[in-house]
Amino acid sequence: MNVRNLLVTFDLNYMEPFKVMISSLLINNPGEQIEVWLLHSSIPKENLNDLNRYLEARHVILHPVTIDRDVFENAPIKKRYPQEMYYRLLAPHLLPDTLERVLYLDPDILIINPLRDLWNMDLKGNAFAAASHTSMTDIPNDVNRVRLKTTHDYYNTGVMVMDLTKARKLIKPDDIYRYVRESIIRLMLPDQDIFNALYGSATLEIDDAIWNYDVRNYSDYLFRSTGTHDIGWVMENTAILHFCGRNKPWKPDYSRRFGILYKHYMSLSKRS
């Protein structure tokens, strides 16, 4: 059986949402052998031990990787540009050389259908695969192309397949640090902007309606699909629901579409 390597980066505040995400993944991907690589710098040992017990009970192997702050001594680091923003960008150099491919997932995600086709996807020579989020017009993409001086759509980096072998050759830390210093004024979502500017051209675009569904944009998906992508279609076809933005479904006042579904998986994640 192939090992499915999953990459995550979060702090203690996202421990419980991660448990919901991994529970939903396991429920809808039975039989897959999952190993989780967690890049972090501040999660206490007792919390890592608790997470390890949680995952061991579900036959998932945890590899916590504590990042030494000295690694980023040459990086521009400020309140808006914390050390942690570099983890996803520099993951190919922070993970063991023996790893060849990982799937990166944000913790504010639900997996509601199988991921096998994403794990096995042919990247067609690219280092990455990611989705550009749907909107009723192409204005957001046009704005980001001008802002970042790119020609491709603007990729959301909350879901990414990484060919680590290719990415290790492509990504140079000094290139990233230099870009940050030269582009501070125009960076809105720093790590995502950096990825798009430097590595978007090495990224295979995948269907966001399947692999990175922005739950805020239900009306946009419905409109662009001429009514096809309704709730029933999503439940049958979408693999990844992404709860982007500040309003999160684990908060008591969350009232948007798919919130009840999230609460259901949150309940399941707490069962022994």
Side-chain angles (χ1 to χ4, degrees), residues 103-239:
L103 172 61
Y104 171 85
L105 294 178
D106 276 350
D108 57 347
I109 272 174
L110 276 185
I111 312 299
I112 62 172
N113 276 304
L115 296 180
R116 181 166 295 185
D117 288 347
L118 185 61
W119 268 309
N120 295 337
M121 183 172 288
D122 179 0
L123 300 189
K124 303 183 187 306
N126 292 285
F128 309 98
S132 173
H133 278 152
T134 295
S135 68
M136 290 187 185
T137 70
D138 205 39
I139 291 175
N141 273 323
D142 289 341
V143 169
N144 284 315
R145 289 186 191 105
V146 173
R147 183 171 63 87
L148 299 175
K149 301 178 182 179
T150 60
T151 58
H152 53 77
D153 286 350
Y154 186 80
Y155 297 115
N156 178 276
T157 54
V159 177
M160 287 195 296
V161 181
M162 297 183 175
D163 181 325
L164 296 174
T165 304
K166 284 187 170 61
R168 288 184 186 107
K169 297 176 182 177
L170 177 66
I171 294 175
K172 303 290 189 292
D174 286 344
D175 291 345
I176 294 174
Y177 305 155
R178 185 182 309 110
Y179 184 81
V180 173
R181 293 188 184 98
E182 295 173 353
S183 309
I184 282 178
I185 294 177
R186 64 173 181 266
L187 296 180
M188 297 174 63
L189 299 171
D191 56 341
Q192 190 161 274
D193 283 354
I194 296 164
F195 175 85
N196 275 274
L198 297 182
Y199 312 116
S201 60
T203 302
L204 174 71
E205 184 166 0
I206 56 178
D207 187 352
D208 64 321
I210 302 293
W211 302 119
N212 191 349
Y213 187 104
D214 186 341
V215 300
R216 301 171 298 180
N217 295 342
Y218 175 79
S219 296
D220 291 5
Y221 290 110
L222 197 62
F223 175 79
R224 288 172 66 98
S225 68
T226 62
T228 302
H229 293 183
D230 58 10
I231 291 287
W233 185 94
V234 171
M235 295 304 298
E236 186 173 345
N237 296 279
T238 297

